[in-house]
Amino acid sequence: MATVHIPTLFAQAALEVSGKKLDNLSGATVISKLGLDSVAVMELVAHFEEKLNIRMPDEDLAKVQTVADLGGLVKRLMPAGSEVTW
Amino acid sequence: MAQWNAPNLIAAIDESKGMTEKGYTFLDRDQKELFLSWDALRSEAMKRAAHLRKYGLKKGDRVAMVLPDGEDFVPTFLGAVWAGLVPVPLYPPLSLGKLDSYKDTMVAVLNKAEPTYLITLSKMQQVLWAGLTHVKSLKGVITAEELKGPAPEGVSQDPAQVSEDDLAFLQFTSGSTSTPKGVAVTHGNLRANAWAIMVDGLKSDSATDHGVSWLPLYHDMGLIGFVIAPMFHKVQVTFIPTMAFVRSATLWFETIHRVRGTITFAPNFAYALATKRSKPEQLAKWDLSCVKAFGCGAEPINPGTMRTFVETLSKAKLNPNALLPCYGMAEATLAISFIGMDETLSTDVIDSDAYQKQRTAEPVHISKLTEGKAQEVVNCGKTFPGHEVGIFDDEGKRLPERRIGEIQVRGPSVAKGYFRDPDATERTFGGGWLKTGDLGYLANGNVYIVGRKKDIIIINGRNYDPQRLEWLVDDMAGVRKGSSVAFSKPGAASEELIIVLEARTNSETELEALKESVKQRIVEQMQLTPTDVVVCPVGSLPKTSSGKLQRSKTRQQYLDGTVGKEGNRTIGSNAEKVVLARHVALSLLGRSRHRARRVVEHALEVRSVDDALGKLKLAGDYFSNRLTRLF
């Protein structure tokens, strides 16, 4: 079964999308404070969806504030038994 | 060429009867298509109008709409118009973690528009509820799902009777949160601007043209340019969900290639983004020779971006003449000027000295650009027949060609004013001319825009447009793209220039070097020395809801000594959790309070009580889940 560490994947995605190096991400990191513009954020979401083969509904994304929230959403959408940590 | 000339949007919808071959195609995130023919759009509008009338809504009542997807938005919008209602499109909450500012803006807009109902998706309700309790005019929420159901019996599906002066819809512009302004667009405005865009501007042909748009439908360019104007002139359109474009920008070109699109529009930033994301193998595959209009407007047009686009996309057989710089604003319904269909991007190189000192646009040789003694301005074309563009100085005197002043517009596309805001209406629409707030000039009747009037920086009697200074800084290595802000502060002798930017580095030495090179660049290019360059942490400068940097707020923070210090990372702080918890709690409270009010108001409406109980239970589950995870 798949194992996903959200902060690691997030940092990879941010690097790929906007060339931004993000250190010290944790579950409590507030995404809106990372200085990614709104387009970059959505590209990042696309990156997650592609990598994990999931679809994150817009109305759920609107409620995501922290890396942990994103983790919770990913966890809910991944097949049962996948390990999602943050 | 078939000529369509319906007197208003309702009549244009009615003309669709029996036309089953073409219409609007809505793509979803998985590229699945939903095709609604002109005839089907008419039937959907009639059905939805009946549903809305069942709620007691009547001509002139406002209905707010928060519907992110075209397949819900378009038929609902047309249905509301068919019933004579005044739709108020609002943008949906999309970005991660911006719920606080979203809610504030939404409440301010709704309190201005005073809608009777809000239409949204059932799954969106939960996100919106927190704010709705603060909107007194609202009687409740109608879900888009409900409007899809079979038409209610015994309710009229007849079209409303409207006149030219009747309100068609309210277009809220992304201004400040505290004082939102809703542009009152009439049926006469829509007809005039649809004609200007589709006939005078694009020379559209319903037999051959095909629009492609990913633009948000709550924005004037997406709604008027791709829903309303094409409905008047029966040009088929394929809609890409905005979020799908943002997730993968090349979907725009891919779709044009696939459906053989001929007309598309987007702001400057989208051209930059989609060009950057286009891979060589995609460029080799695409054939974009079908496009006759790649319209660019809605924000300042950067000639560099446009040239890169034309050069890169030439590999996909793009016709350089297809690029269509244009100028417009919501207060003029949408379009003010286009360049001709047979023209391509052209620019004017004007002397900086003459611009800054005498406010004149004197053409000079292009070589002056590299010397930093000139600037390049994009030709946005001529205004449409029946419309007039004038340039005025601060005293209200009309200026001749090549003199720089405020651009003003008059004609049948100019809106009635701002909804229920006589002061703002007088300021902007008074005296028979729409004051655009843009600075520019006319040359051979073509419109050239140099900047925004209120942002203009005046130093030693010279005028500088902050956008141009910011573009210079944005290009530099180490500067976060789109993060620089230029403004002035009062100095000893004259105003002084301040540059604030976000940088990718934290190293002290690199920061100092960056400040120096920013100063140097501005000196070289503009012969102007910034008094201060402030480098802030990434993400700390204030932005508007649409992600644009706020110059005035940044300036205020600079003067207060708080710039870059507010909104820094507070990772793991309890405050963030409290904000989140507050949202959830408010959402719940708002929901129950609102429902309770409705229950009292409509004590006999059993259906809504059941509904309320069901929804409360759902919210309760959500709340307890959230709490367990949080604390």
Side-chain angles (χ1 to χ4, degrees), chain B residues 527-578:
Chain B
Q527 277 81 51
L528 179 67
T529 313
T531 309
D532 197 2
V533 176
V534 184
V535 183
C536 300
V538 158
S540 59
L541 295 180
K543 286 195 166 184
T544 65
S545 55
S546 55
K548 289 181 185 160
L549 280 165
Q550 289 181 297
R551 284 197 194 97
S552 57
K553 202 162 174 186
T554 307
R555 180 173 186 273
Q556 197 51 52
Q557 288 185 354
Y558 176 86
L559 297 174
D560 297 344
T562 58
V563 70
K565 297 188 177 107
E566 286 181 2
N568 276 341
R569 296 179 203 198
T570 47
I571 296 171
S573 82
N574 220 22
E576 294 296 340
K577 285 187 187 171
V578 171

Side-chain angles (χ1 to χ4, degrees), chain B residues 315-620:
Chain B
K315 295 174 194 118
K317 305 188 185 67
L318 169 78
N319 171 6
N321 280 358
L323 192 60
L324 186 86
C326 53
Y327 172 55
M329 66 192 314
E331 283 82 352
T333 300
L334 171 63
I336 294 173
S337 74
F338 281 9
I339 65 163
M341 289 300 289
D342 49 353
E343 293 172 55
T344 185
L345 172 78
S346 69
T347 60
D348 201 19
V349 179
I350 59 169
D351 185 68
S352 294
D353 233 32
Y355 163 43
Q356 289 152 5
K357 285 190 191 151
Q358 287 109 37
R359 289 192 154 209
T360 58
E362 289 174 17
V364 290
H365 192 262
I366 195 157
S367 62
K368 291 252 186 178
L369 265 182
T370 44
E371 295 163 25
K373 290 182 178 149
Q375 55 180 289
E376 195 177 17
V377 193
V378 173
N379 174 8
C380 288
K382 294 183 169 58
T383 193
F384 308 102
H387 296 73
E388 188 182 357
V389 168
I391 309 293
F392 292 80
D393 70 10
D394 291 342
E395 278 75 49
K397 199 176 99 226
R398 196 152 176 188
L399 298 170
E401 286 224 325
R402 292 205 166 272
R403 287 284 305 280
I404 295 164
E406 186 181 24
I407 300 173
Q408 300 192 11
V409 187
R410 64 180 174 190
S413 297
V414 172
K416 220 174 179 175
Y418 296 115
F419 186 68
R420 294 188 179 163
D421 198 336
D423 293 346
T425 299
E426 181 53 34
R427 276 197 304 277
T428 305
F429 295 85
W433 289 86
L434 163 65
K435 290 152 205 73
T436 64
D438 288 321
L439 281 179
Y441 61 92
L442 289 170
N444 297 324
N446 292 310
V447 179
Y448 293 83
I449 294 123
V450 297
R452 285 293 292 170
K453 194 178 168 188
K454 68 172 164 42
D455 290 331
I456 217 77
I457 298 170
I458 305 175
I459 294 173
N460 295 326
R462 289 167 172 253
N463 296 292
Y464 299 90
D465 167 38
Q467 177 80 71
R468 280 167 202 281
L469 295 164
E470 289 159 9
W471 278 344
L472 286 176
V473 177
D474 276 350
D475 270 356
M476 299 176 64
V479 176
R480 195 181 149 232
K481 217 168 171 47
S483 80
S484 60
V485 183
F487 55 87
S488 60
K489 74 168 178 88
S494 174
E495 292 275 294
E496 294 177 347
L497 175 65
I498 313 295
I499 304 279
V500 180
L501 59 95
E502 294 178 1
R504 297 184 187 283
T505 173
N506 293 321
S507 127
E508 279 294 322
T509 44
E510 281 179 41
L511 285 180
E512 283 313 308
L514 182 62
K515 282 186 192 176
E516 270 319 299
S517 43
V518 167
K519 280 190 185 176
Q520 219 171 336
R521 181 118 209 246
I522 304 271
V523 172
E524 274 166 22
Q525 298 288 320
M526 306 298 280
Q527 277 81 51
L528 179 67
T529 313
T531 309
D532 197 2
V533 176
V534 184
V535 183
C536 300
V538 158
S540 59
L541 295 180
K543 286 195 166 184
T544 65
S545 55
S546 55
K548 289 181 185 160
L549 280 165
Q550 289 181 297
R551 284 197 194 97
S552 57
K553 202 162 174 186
T554 307
R555 180 173 186 273
Q556 197 51 52
Q557 288 185 354
Y558 176 86
L559 297 174
D560 297 344
T562 58
V563 70
K565 297 188 177 107
E566 286 181 2
N568 276 341
R569 296 179 203 198
T570 47
I571 296 171
S573 82
N574 220 22
E576 294 296 340
K577 285 187 187 171
V578 171
V579 169
L580 181 57
R582 203 177 70 221
H583 267 302
V584 179
L586 270 177
S587 191
L588 255 183
L589 272 177
R591 173 178 295 224
S592 46
R593 223 187 279 152
H594 199 97
R595 282 293 175 192
R597 209 178 78 203
R598 278 202 67 192
V599 170
V600 174
E601 279 175 6
H602 310 277
L604 295 174
E605 207 177 309
V606 176
R607 196 178 60 90
S608 70
V609 175
D610 283 341
D611 194 28
L613 288 175
K615 297 236 167 65
L616 265 171
K617 187 182 171 296
L618 268 178

Side-chain angles (χ1 to χ4, degrees), chain A residues 35 43 49 55 59 63-64, chain B residues 29-30 97 123 277 480:
Chain A
E43 285 193 279
E49 293 181 330
R55 280 300 163 102
E59 65 278 9
K63 287 178 276 194
V64 169
Chain B
R29 284 178 59 182
D30 301 306
K123 58 189 183 182
R277 296 271 181 259
R480 195 181 149 232

